[in-house]
Amino acid sequence: MHDLTQRTRPGANGTSGPNGTAARRRSPRELVPALAPLLGLVVLTVAFVVVGTVSGVNMSYSVQTLINQSVVIVIIATGAIFIFAMGSFDISLGASTLVAAMVGGLAYNATESLVAMLVACILTAVATSLVSASLAAVFNLPVFVTTVAMLSVLGAVAVALVQTTGGAQIKVDSSFARQYDTLPVKLSVAVAFLALCVFLFTYTRLGRVEKLIGGNPVTARLTGVSMKKTAIAAFAIAGLGVGLGAFLTVLRTPTMTTSSAADIGMNVLVAMVFGGMPISGGPRTRIYAALLGGLSMAVLNQTMTTLLATSSAGNGISQVVRALFFLAVVWVATSGHRSKLLPR
Amino acid sequence: MKISRSTALAATAALGLSFGLTACGGGSDSAAGGGSDPVKMCVLVADATSSEALGFKDYYTTYIQENFPVEFVYSEEVGDADAEKRAMESFIANNCEAIISFASADRPTQIQMAEDAGIYYAVATGTLSDDQYEEFKDYQYYVGAIGPSLGVEYQAGYDMAKYFVEQGDTRFAIYGAGVPYYIDMHIYRTAGMLAALAEEPSTSYGGATDFGAILGKIMQDGTVKVADFQSDVYELTGYHEVWSFDDAAWQANLAAVVASKPDVILAAGTGFAVFGAAVADTGITIGDIDAYTDENGQAMKEGLVGYLAGKFTSSIGPIFAATYAAVEGHPIRAEGDTALALEQGYWVATSPEQFDAFLAGDTIENPFYGKAELEQFANGDQGYDTFEAFVAAYTYVAD
Amino acid sequence: MGAGLMRRATGTLIIPVGAFVVLTALCSLNGVSLFHTDDSLLLLTRGVATTMLTSMALAINLNSGRFDFSLGAMATLSSVVGATVAIQTGGGFAVMALVTIGTGILLGVVSGLVYVLLGISPMVCSLGITLLYEGISFAITGGANVSFLLDRGLTSFAKSTLAMVLVVAVGLVLVYTVFDRTRFGFDYRALITGQAAAVASGTKEKRNAVLTYAVSGALMSVVGLIIASQMGYIEAGKLNFGSIGIMFTAFLPVFIGGYIGRFSNDKLGFLLGALTMTLVGLAFAALSLSSTVQSITNALLLVGFLMFLSNEERIGRAWRSVTHRRGASPSGPAAPTTAATPNKAPVTSGVNAS
Amino acid sequence: MTSESVLTVTDMSKSFGVVRALKGVDFELRDGEVHGLIGENGSGKSTLTSIVAGQQRADAGTVHFLGRPWSPASVNEALDGGIGMIVQESGTVPGISVAENLFLGDAGRFVRLGLVDRAAMNREAGRALAAIGIDAIDPRTPAGALDFQTRKLVELARVMMHAPKVVVVDETTTALSQHGRETLYRLVDEQRARGSVIFISHDLEEILAVCDRLTVLRDGEMIRTFEKSEFDEDAIRAAMIGRNLDGHYYRADTTATAFPQVLLRATDVTVGDKVRGVDLVVRAGEIVGIGGLSHCGMHELGQALFGAVRLDAGNVVVNGKRIVNEQRAVRAAMGYVSKDRDTESLSLTASISDNIASAGLRLLGRGRGGLITRRAEERYVAGPMRQLAIKATNDRQVVGTLSGGNKQKVVFGKWIACGSEVLILDCPTRGVDIGVKQAMYRLMVQLKSEGKAIVMVSEEMTELMGMCDRLLIMKDGTVAREFQRGPELTEMEIIQCMI
């Protein structure tokens, strides 16, 4: 995160430092890893434009598609950074998105109110998130395993929710959904939430404390940081992200089945890492990682679809390329922080 | 391992370069294909792995692509409405000229997206509900749907159960396949099976004896409960459905179904794939609704499968013809310039001979719906009535 | 010594025996039998075999703080290669088994090399590897199932109780030998809790890690082999992390294994953990619980057991204060890394670290 | 015999990134001598010895051992060749047995038919332990179940069983009790007959007592080698820090002083059986020392005062607030410096700025609605960085790259910046060189004069005597005796009541 903020205001640094040396230029060795995710996105975007132009892709539609496909992931992943920054690992994000979206859908069907749907999505997601947080905090459980358990519970809840309708799906009136499934709505939700997250993470105590916990939980505790309060705040924000993501999901796909949103959970993870977020959290956490990574993934997916969809193994090959690109970006991004010992 | 800036940059550059090269390769490929540009048809699939789906894909990508100036682009397996939408978006961005859909999570959205984008759209299997049809029949780019309606699905399940009842079997197990995931066609087929058994006076499922009530109960429960089956004549020895293949409980339940020694396992889909390995050498017969494939034929020869209702591979020929005609500027429209809504049933085989006959009548090299049959609709020479008759002529249903 | 032995035996057996007793009681209350079919023994042994091997594959890397998402993808890809070769050469089960296991080892080595050479976080690495292997499986098969339902030669393996018992026995002995009795195993165990010290004394950490991944790949290939043989086909079309499900079934056995390992040997623990979970699965089937109820029950069991593990000291203290007041209670939560329970520490720390 | 050199280091250089740890160092070790290496943290002692002992490689320069060129690839290779090292931080692996630790990385020698013969290994381990006179340890015990000191002895055995020609002892004694030290000194003494010892220590007195010669390093350069006859504390100190230390190292005054206001009041503090019913009152401007043997409960008392462990009985009140956890403690303007600096007081991967600001984030946001700007943070951090003279390129430097002394300054800076009034310092000068030590002591005096209260837990008796107004000696979880500051206080008297 610092790497990025420093990069974007090189002029301001010289003057703001208290003792002249405080804001020296970074050496290329540090800079390249820090910028690897951004470079990745640039390279991918160039490839996307080249491939798209050569193959005669409808570019304006394609760009809209990019936003459509990445906005939910970006929102959820940005919120989730608050969890991952502390060194916690939440694997149940996809499942809670589904449950929140379903409750939102049911709420809309009961009230026919957009606001009720939004509120229902957010409340459900935040509540779900807080259940994980309190299980972890009160009973000292590792968050990862708690959320593994939550994953199955939420899956079961989704089935139960579908059953309440006595049918295969939870369905929201699609003409209503279409009315709000627009770029301005998506972008304003995304911008508002991202701005909130960047603000909280960069300019308030919460972000600092989270990085401290991620860096060394014992030190954080002995510096008077309340693990429980921080964890609950982090999960609440992540929940808010999931709620907003769920809200946009209902608008985008008003027909929800138990297998909806299935791949969101893992895609969120890949997006974050792709964007340069260290999975163990800590001081090197970057709040922009989700945005970079989410866009990179969407651009890559689009490009690969254009290139490979006609061959029968195309989807497999495109995933192989995605995997290789992912590993390459992560490799370059972490190249500055390697020790003699293998990382764990 | 030390990483200098130059290595890092070289790596990035190499990746970028490889992309550029692939891009060029891809570009020249499509430009060089054939004299005139082929029609780009995109296919949306919810199931990419079953033998039925593979047969369909084979028919399109080998036979049809050989004989018509078209190029098929397949989506990856789309599991839910969002994945469908993503695939649709990619198709539209990549200038598909028509979309043939095998995915049903959210058909209204698909139709709407295609209409907005000005791309022809057709439903290859299944049909729209009456309400949906009313809503979309006037859409300019909605070609229509040809396939089994839910009524046909119900009938398929019913006919299968009825067949075994008439054979004198009394001990049944049911494989509901996607019932817990509320896959409509599986629920209707399963309800059809139970409804057939419930025609015997002492038999009921959850107190219900008519199809509608049985369907309602399955919808309510999201599963089939063995304990709710009451009968003096028949026995429902077990029930199985899809949840997780890695699960010890799933395996145990599968084994329990086999061990309950039914005469027949009535499967709402992919019955042989799931039970095939388990029922070998047990004397249990599988009644399956699947596809005409070599493997199923082999299973029938070995007596593992006693009844097979299946779509034949080229049954998706007519919908292609209609879509292709539309792209070529000669849409086939029903009365009042409305979209097509035609039903297709299943071919049913109860003996290896029958099976072979069906299989032989519809091969990839020489399909039932071949070039000659389909071509007559491509240039707008034939009207709706001929086409309807053409689809309706498909009456291989067992007698 | 006698009392020590008793304590060890109790600690080792309390979970499987307890589970057996409770499940049997539950079943008989509902008028069903836990082993209610002729196939029960086969199911039990097969379930134990796959669960135990998966747990071991997960645990051997998790012990070193390396979480691996790619277990399922390795199982799928190795069995896809094995089955494809066997079908095309007509070589039968022997060829399938050999090629599958060989491929599994190779995949493990590749995973290990990618991790060691790139030097990135193992969990992140395994995300990439999962995508890679899934993609390759798909590319090989075009997304279709690899099916050999009617090939009795290939499907009979998983139908033989004896074969399953052998898999369990050989797997257990091999893993025990490799990790507890060989030079590799000694280095491996030193690296778990003393990475820096072991490396400083010349232990080849990278080689050790690659070999560990190779063993993990081998174990998962056997799991893939069993599942393929039992189903008669392999689902090769799973993309986008569709293959990670198998990992979740191994969580509870891994934790149970770690717990039992404190009283005897963690490898034995994985066996007993797998046994426990397979019994639970049989009971689910016998009681015909719906999948919803099953997943919730499994989740509760996992959370419950972890609550016990994480609060053992607190529970123990409370228990002692109830029974007899005088007891040298260990210090509270303030001493975070005294490593008084070395066998427990690595297992939980691995997941904590995640 | 004694003048023959066994090990010669010529013009050795080594860099870590931009830091030049060794700059053309020459060093000679003679047969039969115990050679002390002394210098501030970061002076290059450990770097030099770790290269000689195979832990890392030099960038330039040559080493000759017994007349032949010497460049071992690993610790084990060095050990086999005749040079063994006992390291500063714990070199044992907790998860495996004592025997396995003794043969760490060397299990291969017990392999029969591909399997490791565990029984033989245990037998051999038992022999090795007995050889250095410790037979109370079962080789099958997991090393993690042993206390720190016993683990050190295991390490000692691991080196000694190879009968090395040269033994390197790197600041090992700080971790050892009296008994452990005696074992070590005995072994060092015996080693003279077999070869030589390189003895690294911060403790000048110790080094003067143990060594035959000593070499001073500073900033990666060899400053001077002192023969036994030239041993002179002041000269050595001056060589170490490159200037003469001015007179008062500790506090100058010899009388106990304090303001009347009570800042901390602890009553009947009980933590399991580690701390049993301790009462303590600390006033403003008072330094209270707590000393004793390592397991007397003093560290736990320090944690208890800060709310870091749950009290089984009693309570701690600071500034009228009852301390039940760390958050309350920090809110009550308390600060805590742990004895395990790297693992408990710092976030090593974070920057200096992040670390120092971490305790004062509420202050930083005060008056701005919680908004923390980089500018405010820089201003906040600049104060302690200047005051403590933290050596770093800028406040963005990652703490893990700092020397031990600078790290400790960062920890102090964290608590000073947020205005802590009551400081609990657990071994605040552990692993810190003389220069930094002196800075810490001066800071403590300054804080005292500002009316802050300090509780200093320490294992170093001289430092407690030098700094404290009152000194509490703990034994078995209780306060054995309390001493007042005064010129008549002697170390003998205090040590008497510890044992």
Side-chain angles (χ1 to χ4, degrees):
Chain A
M1 181 207 96
H2 300 298
D3 310 317
L4 279 177
T5 48
Q6 291 215 340
R7 195 194 64 84
T8 49
R9 48 177 187 114
N13 275 325
T15 51
S16 65
N19 48 8
T21 59
R24 280 181 333 131
R25 282 184 306 120
R26 303 174 141 266
S27 72
R29 276 178 65 103
E30 297 169 66
L31 202 59
V32 169
L35 294 183
L38 193 61
L39 285 177
L41 180 58
V42 171
V43 169
L44 286 172
T45 309
V46 170
F48 167 69
V49 173
V50 170
V51 170
T53 317
V54 172
S55 316
V57 163
N58 178 346
M59 287 308 274
S60 78
Y61 190 86
S62 203
V63 170
Q64 281 183 42
T65 304
L66 279 180
I67 298 171
N68 279 329
Q69 297 187 356
S70 56
V71 71
V72 171
I73 296 286
V74 167
I75 288 177
I76 296 176
T78 302
I81 283 185
F82 282 82
I83 296 178
F84 284 75
M86 296 187 302
S88 304
F89 193 112
D90 190 337
I91 202 171
S92 68
L93 293 164
S96 51
T97 308
L98 172 60
V99 168
M102 282 182 161
V103 174
L106 291 174
Y108 174 77
N109 288 343
T111 62
E112 304 219 333
S113 147
L114 180 77
V115 177
M117 180 172 112
L118 175 63
V119 171
C121 283
I122 292 176
L123 286 184
T124 313
V126 172
T128 320
S129 203
L130 289 182
V131 171
S132 299
S134 32
L135 270 179
V138 176
F139 296 104
N140 282 323
L141 298 186
V143 172
F144 182 63
V145 191
T146 314
T147 58
V148 166
M150 280 302 279
L151 187 65
S152 357
V153 172
L154 290 171
V157 169
V159 172
L161 285 175
V162 168
Q163 281 175 359
T164 61
T165 68
Q169 303 155 333
I170 291 177
K171 216 171 177 134
V172 170
D173 175 29
S174 63
S175 62
F176 153 77
R178 207 160 39 242
Q179 206 179 320
Y180 294 98
D181 183 32
T182 59
L183 281 184
V185 170
K186 285 176 211 191
L187 289 179
S188 47
V189 170
V191 168
F193 182 68
L194 258 64
L196 174 73
C197 288
V198 169
F199 172 76
L200 287 176
F201 201 83
T202 317
Y203 294 109
T204 69
R205 183 169 181 270
L206 181 66
R208 310 298 176 98
V209 162
E210 290 203 330
K211 287 198 276 183
L212 192 67
I213 295 177
N216 186 341
V218 182
T219 300
R221 182 167 59 79
L222 290 175
T223 309
V225 172
S226 165
M227 307 299 233
K228 283 177 194 169
K229 276 188 211 156
T230 314
I232 283 168
F235 273 85
I237 293 166
L240 178 61
V242 168
L244 293 173
F247 172 69
L248 295 182
T249 302
V250 183
L251 293 179
R252 179 170 158 80
T253 49
T255 308
M256 287 165 288
T257 62
T258 47
S259 52
S260 293
D263 46 8
I264 283 186
M266 295 307 283
N267 281 343
V268 160
L269 205 60
V270 172
M272 264 191 284
V273 177
F274 215 147
M277 167 83 195
I279 205 101
S280 53
R284 283 197 289 268
T285 300
R286 296 162 193 197
I287 191 73
Y288 300 105
L291 180 61
L292 284 182
L295 287 177
S296 297
M297 264 171 53
V299 174
L300 182 53
N301 285 344
Q302 282 283 308
T303 315
M304 296 315 295
T305 309
T306 306
L307 281 179
L308 291 167
T310 44
S311 82
S312 74
N315 298 315
I317 295 171
S318 110
Q319 181 159 314
V320 168
V321 173
R322 241 183 325 147
L324 296 177
F325 208 92
F326 173 81
L327 288 171
V329 167
V330 174
W331 175 58
V332 180
T334 54
S335 60
H337 319 295
R338 226 147 268 158
S339 70
K340 201 174 150 194
L341 302 176
L342 289 175
R344 287 183 166 181
Chain B
M1 158 159 324
K2 276 209 181 110
I3 294 169
S4 66
R5 181 173 63 135
S6 48
T7 11
L9 285 178
T12 329
L15 273 164
L17 194 64
S18 63
F19 262 92
L21 289 176
T22 350
C24 297
S28 58
D29 253 8
S30 58
S36 66
D37 263 359
V39 175
K40 199 169 188 178
M41 284 204 181
C42 296
V43 186
L44 200 59
V45 286
D47 166 12
T49 61
S50 72
S51 45
E52 179 184 274
L54 289 166
F56 287 161
K57 191 170 180 180
D58 243 13
Y59 174 63
Y60 273 180
T61 55
T62 53
Y63 183 83
I64 297 286
Q65 207 157 291
E66 286 279 297
N67 291 289
F68 290 86
V70 291
E71 177 189 45
F72 285 99
V73 174
Y74 267 72
S75 75
E76 61 183 288
E77 188 165 299
V78 294
D80 60 62
D82 189 47
E84 281 178 12
K85 205 162 175 175
R86 269 181 285 162
M88 289 286 294
E89 284 169 342
S90 294
F91 287 163
I92 295 169
N94 283 290
N95 299 319
C96 281
E97 289 164 83
I99 291 166
I100 298 178
S101 169
F102 289 84
S104 60
D106 190 359
R107 286 221 172 93
T109 300
Q110 295 175 24
I111 296 172
Q112 188 66 46
M113 285 177 80
E115 187 76 12
D116 292 347
I119 293 174
Y120 286 102
Y121 174 93
V123 174
T125 49
T127 52
L128 298 186
S129 69
D130 291 347
D131 289 351
Q132 285 175 347
Y133 181 71
E134 281 307 310
E135 190 180 349
F136 297 116
K137 66 179 182 189
D138 295 326
Y139 276 33
Q140 188 191 343
Y141 290 94
Y142 176 49
V143 175
I146 301 174
S149 64
L150 288 176
V152 171
E153 300 293 5
Y154 154 74
Q155 195 66 38
Y158 175 90
D159 288 346
M160 183 162 75
K162 201 76 189 160
Y163 169 81
F164 286 108
V165 166
E166 280 165 9
Q167 299 284 308
D169 292 319
T170 55
R171 295 171 58 81
F172 296 99
I174 290 179
Y175 174 63
V179 167
Y181 295 106
Y182 284 97
I183 294 176
D184 279 341
M185 64 179 181
H186 290 167
I187 292 181
Y188 274 74
R189 288 174 192 172
T190 307
M193 298 170 198
L194 288 168
L197 299 180
E199 283 184 351
E200 194 281 325
S202 73
T203 308
S204 67
Y205 177 67
T209 55
D210 73 301
F211 166 71
I214 292 173
L215 182 70
K217 176 152 171 60
I218 299 178
M219 283 285 191
Q220 182 83 51
D221 296 340
T223 184
V224 170
K225 294 177 176 169
V226 174
D228 287 342
F229 185 84
Q230 307 289 337
S231 176
D232 299 339
V233 180
Y234 305 124
E235 197 177 339
L236 185 63
T237 62
Y239 172 75
H240 198 48
E241 60 191 13
V242 167
W243 67 84
S244 156
F245 293 106
D246 310 320
D247 201 294
W250 191 84
Q251 295 300 339
N253 199 58
L254 185 148
V257 168
V258 174
S260 68
K261 298 196 170 52
D263 300 326
V264 182
I265 296 173
L266 300 170
T270 65
F272 177 62
V274 172
F275 280 92
V279 298
D281 311 320
T282 58
I284 298 171
T285 307
I286 298 171
D288 206 355
I289 303 179
D290 199 43
Y292 284 88
T293 62
D294 290 336
E295 194 160 51
N296 279 335
Q298 193 62 33
M300 201 155 232
K301 278 193 192 72
E302 298 203 11
L304 297 175
V305 170
Y307 180 103
L308 188 104
K311 295 187 197 96
F312 58 103
T313 299
S314 72
S315 64
I316 54 172
I319 193 69
F320 162 74
T323 313
Y324 183 69
V327 175
E328 293 291 296
H330 322 289
I332 304 168
R333 302 290 278 181
E335 227 169 297
D337 192 21
T338 54
L340 302 171
L342 298 171
E343 283 201 1
Q344 259 180 332
Y346 289 98
W347 279 355
V348 173
T350 52
S351 70
E353 295 72 36
Q354 245 175 336
F355 191 102
D356 285 346
F358 287 145
L359 205 56
D362 186 51
T363 63
I364 290 298
E365 296 75 33
N366 189 13
F368 180 71
Y369 288 121
K371 182 178 182 183
E373 286 82 14
L374 298 179
E375 216 161 35
Q376 54 176 322
F377 298 100
N379 51 18
D381 292 352
Q382 308 288 346
Y384 173 77
D385 294 337
T386 331
F387 188 72
E388 189 189 16
F390 173 67
V391 175
Y394 158 63
T395 48
Y396 258 102
V397 176
D399 39 351
Chain C
M1 194 65 204
L5 195 66
M6 267 306 290
R7 203 183 69 86
R8 290 168 60 124
T10 314
T12 306
L13 294 174
I14 184 154
I15 292 176
V17 172
F20 179 74
V21 169
V22 170
L23 295 172
T24 313
L26 269 179
C27 284
S28 52
L29 277 179
N30 287 279
V32 289
S33 153
L34 191 53
F35 301 102
H36 61 303
T37 71
D38 308 340
D39 275 345
S40 287
L41 198 59
L42 172 65
L43 285 171
L44 186 70
T45 50
R46 196 163 64 195
V48 169
T50 53
T51 315
M52 181 189 81
L53 296 179
T54 311
S55 308
M56 285 172 167
L58 181 64
I60 54 175
N61 270 316
L62 195 55
N63 279 340
S64 303
R66 300 192 289 253
F67 188 85
D68 193 353
F69 279 110
S70 71
L71 296 181
M74 285 200 287
T76 306
L77 180 51
S78 55
S79 58
V80 162
V81 174
T84 309
V85 171
I87 291 167
Q88 279 178 4
T89 60
F93 183 74
V95 169
M96 174 160 155
L98 281 177
V99 175
T100 301
I101 295 173
T103 311
I105 293 173
L106 186 72
L107 294 178
V109 168
V110 170
S111 294
L113 283 176
V114 170
Y115 160 60
V116 161
L117 294 179
L118 296 194
I120 57 183
S121 146
M123 187 186 251
V124 171
C125 187
S126 83
L127 287 175
I129 293 288
T130 307
L131 289 175
L132 186 67
Y133 290 174
E134 283 180 357
I136 296 174
S137 296
F138 191 104
I140 292 177
T141 62
N145 287 349
V146 179
S147 178
F148 43 89
L149 280 158
L150 291 166
D151 190 331
R152 304 275 158 85
L154 300 187
T155 56
S156 60
F157 170 65
K159 282 190 176 177
S160 151
T161 307
L162 181 66
M164 292 303 110
V165 172
L166 274 178
V167 166
V168 172
V170 171
L172 188 65
V173 169
L174 263 181
V175 172
Y176 168 78
T177 311
V178 167
F179 285 92
D180 286 35
R181 297 300 305 276
T182 64
R183 160 120 209 225
F184 160 79
F186 274 68
D187 289 347
Y188 164 86
R189 280 181 299 118
L191 284 165
I192 290 177
T193 49
Q195 199 186 9
V199 170
S201 24
T203 305
K204 302 266 186 294
E205 185 185 23
K206 292 184 176 173
R207 195 174 65 186
N208 202 280
V210 172
L211 280 172
T212 309
Y213 274 99
V215 174
S216 165
L219 293 172
M220 286 321 293
S221 70
V222 177
V223 173
L225 185 68
I226 295 175
I227 293 178
S229 166
Q230 145 205 339
M231 303 300 297
Y233 61 93
I234 305 159
E235 281 188 283
K238 293 177 183 167
L239 289 178
N240 242 328
F241 299 102
S243 66
I244 64 173
I246 195 167
M247 173 187 88
F248 296 118
T249 59
F251 266 102
L252 196 44
V254 164
F255 288 118
I256 294 177
Y259 176 80
I260 290 177
R262 280 149 50 188
F263 300 96
S264 46
N265 183 288
D266 56 343
K267 317 299 180 296
L268 182 64
F270 298 135
L271 170 66
L272 295 175
L275 178 68
T276 309
M277 288 320 292
T278 310
L279 286 173
V280 171
L282 289 181
F284 282 154
L287 295 168
S288 16
L289 297 180
S290 75
S291 56
T292 310
V293 179
Q294 287 188 26
S295 39
I296 291 184
T297 314
N298 271 331
L300 291 182
L301 283 177
L302 178 63
V303 169
F305 189 67
L306 275 168
M307 278 184 190
F308 166 72
L309 281 186
S310 307
N311 299 286
E312 217 179 333
E313 281 186 0
R314 254 192 257 176
I315 296 169
R317 210 163 32 197
W319 175 247
R320 271 193 298 278
S321 70
V322 172
T323 47
H324 42 94
R325 258 240 58 104
R326 278 284 132 219
S329 60
S331 72
T337 47
T338 41
T341 49
N343 273 325
K344 176 191 165 194
V347 172
T348 37
S349 73
V351 178
N352 266 324
S354 323
Chain D
M1 190 60 183
T2 44
S3 63
E4 191 186 322
S5 93
V6 286
L7 183 78
T8 336
V9 173
T10 320
D11 201 21
M12 181 184 283
S13 295
K14 172 78 182 176
S15 300
F16 301 101
V18 290
V19 183
R20 294 189 62 195
L22 289 179
K23 304 169 194 164
V25 168
D26 295 325
F27 174 75
E28 187 215 24
L29 181 68
R30 294 180 192 150
D31 198 8
E33 75 168 341
V34 177
H35 193 128
L37 269 189
I38 195 160
E40 302 200 342
N41 272 58
S43 61
K45 315 173 295 265
S46 298
T47 311
L48 173 66
T49 48
S50 64
I51 290 170
V52 167
Q55 225 171 24
Q56 48 195 339
R57 287 172 186 261
D59 297 336
T62 53
V63 184
H64 279 82
F65 177 50
L66 299 173
R68 275 189 293 275
W70 173 251
S71 59
S74 74
V75 172
N76 275 22
E77 199 179 309
L79 199 51
D80 289 339
I83 298 184
M85 174 156 84
I86 300 150
V87 291
Q88 190 176 344
E89 68 276 9
S90 176
T92 51
V93 178
I96 55 178
S97 73
V98 168
E100 286 173 62
N101 265 292
L102 288 177
F103 299 102
L104 187 59
D106 197 22
R109 59 193 275 196
F110 297 101
V111 170
R112 309 272 176 275
L113 303 172
L115 301 183
V116 176
D117 184 347
R118 201 185 281 275
M121 182 187 263
N122 289 336
R123 265 198 310 279
E124 189 81 5
R127 242 174 265 143
L129 289 169
I132 64 161
I134 35 177
D135 32 24
I137 308 174
D138 182 342
R140 293 172 299 180
T141 322
L146 304 174
D147 62 23
F148 192 75
Q149 155 163 339
T150 320
R151 291 210 297 271
K152 270 274 138 339
L153 294 177
V154 169
E155 236 176 288
L156 201 56
R158 172 170 139 74
V159 169
M160 297 312 289
M161 75 186 180
H162 286 79
K165 185 77 184 159
V166 173
V167 180
V168 181
V169 181
D170 189 353
E171 274 184 69
T172 302
T173 46
T174 40
L176 296 181
S177 68
Q178 201 57 33
H179 172 71
R181 282 180 202 211
E182 276 159 17
T183 311
L184 180 70
Y185 294 151
R186 178 171 52 77
L187 289 169
V188 164
D189 201 35
E190 289 168 10
Q191 175 70 12
R192 279 199 182 90
R194 256 179 310 182
S196 323
V197 178
I198 301 177
F199 194 92
I200 301 178
S201 175
H202 268 136
D203 188 341
L204 193 51
E205 278 176 48
E206 178 183 42
I207 236 172
L208 293 177
V210 173
C211 300
D212 305 317
R213 282 205 302 166
L214 79 87
T215 293
V216 176
L217 287 171
R218 188 176 73 228
D219 293 335
E221 289 177 79
M222 204 203 85
I223 302 301
R224 187 183 154 185
T225 296
F226 294 82
E227 298 293 330
K228 184 107 189 169
S229 55
E230 301 169 316
F231 280 7
D232 169 74
E233 272 195 50
D234 289 341
I236 295 171
R237 275 219 186 90
M240 279 168 68
I241 56 176
R243 62 192 152 84
N244 291 319
L245 271 180
D246 38 11
H248 25 265
Y249 185 51
Y250 298 119
R251 264 167 78 176
D253 57 333
T254 53
T255 47
T257 55
F259 298 110
Q261 185 199 354
V262 171
L263 286 187
L264 181 149
R265 186 186 298 277
T267 38
D268 188 32
V269 172
T270 305
V271 180
D273 58 350
K274 299 268 171 66
V275 181
R276 298 185 291 179
V278 171
D279 296 328
L280 180 66
V281 170
V282 186
R283 291 170 202 282
E286 185 179 34
I287 302 177
V288 175
I290 300 181
L293 297 175
S294 8
H295 294 286
C296 65
M298 57 183 179
H299 303 300
E300 288 79 3
L301 175 61
Q303 291 169 344
L305 294 178
F306 189 66
V309 285
R310 217 186 55 199
L311 301 186
D312 290 318
N315 61 46
V316 178
V317 177
V318 171
N319 275 334
K321 296 193 182 79
R322 193 161 166 229
I323 307 299
V324 291
N325 56 30
E326 302 91 341
Q327 291 112 266
R328 289 279 194 95
V330 174
R331 291 264 176 96
M334 285 182 90
Y336 174 77
V337 176
S338 164
K339 69 179 196 299
D340 299 317
R341 185 183 54 227
D342 286 7
T343 55
E344 295 190 353
S345 284
L346 289 171
S347 178
L348 290 177
T349 50
S351 66
I352 296 173
S353 176
D354 283 342
N355 272 285
I356 291 184
S358 63
L361 294 171
R362 278 202 182 80
L363 291 175
L364 270 170
R366 191 165 292 165
R368 293 191 194 85
L371 191 73
I372 300 173
T373 61
R374 174 76 185 119
R375 185 181 292 250
E377 188 182 338
E378 275 169 353
R379 222 177 291 129
Y380 179 88
V381 173
M385 273 190 79
R386 209 172 26 242
Q387 189 185 355
L388 294 165
I390 294 172
K391 275 187 228 158
T393 51
N394 60 43
D395 69 349
R396 287 259 149 259
Q397 188 171 344
V398 171
V399 165
T401 62
L402 299 176
S403 68
N406 276 310
K407 282 181 187 166
Q408 190 70 317
K409 285 181 178 176
V410 170
V411 180
F412 267 77
K414 169 165 90 175
W415 295 118
I416 291 170
C418 70
S420 302
E421 291 173 15
V422 179
L423 284 167
I424 314 291
L425 311 177
D426 194 348
C427 301
T429 59
R430 183 190 258 199
V432 161
D433 60 56
I434 294 183
V436 177
K437 253 188 188 175
Q438 190 184 25
M440 301 277 164
Y441 296 143
R442 283 195 182 152
L443 183 67
M444 284 170 70
V445 171
Q446 189 199 332
L447 292 171
K448 173 180 160 67
S449 71
E450 288 168 8
K452 320 271 181 187
I454 296 174
V455 176
M456 176 161 78
V457 178
S458 176
E459 287 164 2
E460 274 186 57
M461 214 39 67
T462 46
E463 137 179 309
L464 287 171
M465 286 171 57
M467 294 305 299
C468 298
D469 294 299
R470 271 187 301 140
L471 175 53
L472 275 59
I473 297 301
M474 285 184 68
K475 191 182 168 187
D476 298 332
T478 57
V479 176
R481 203 174 142 190
E482 185 173 330
F483 298 88
Q484 282 285 323
R485 185 173 190 82
E488 70 286 354
L489 200 59
T490 67
E491 194 168 352
M492 205 54 225
E493 197 180 354
I494 298 173
I495 290 176
Q496 214 92 90
C497 77
M498 277 165 55
I499 346 176

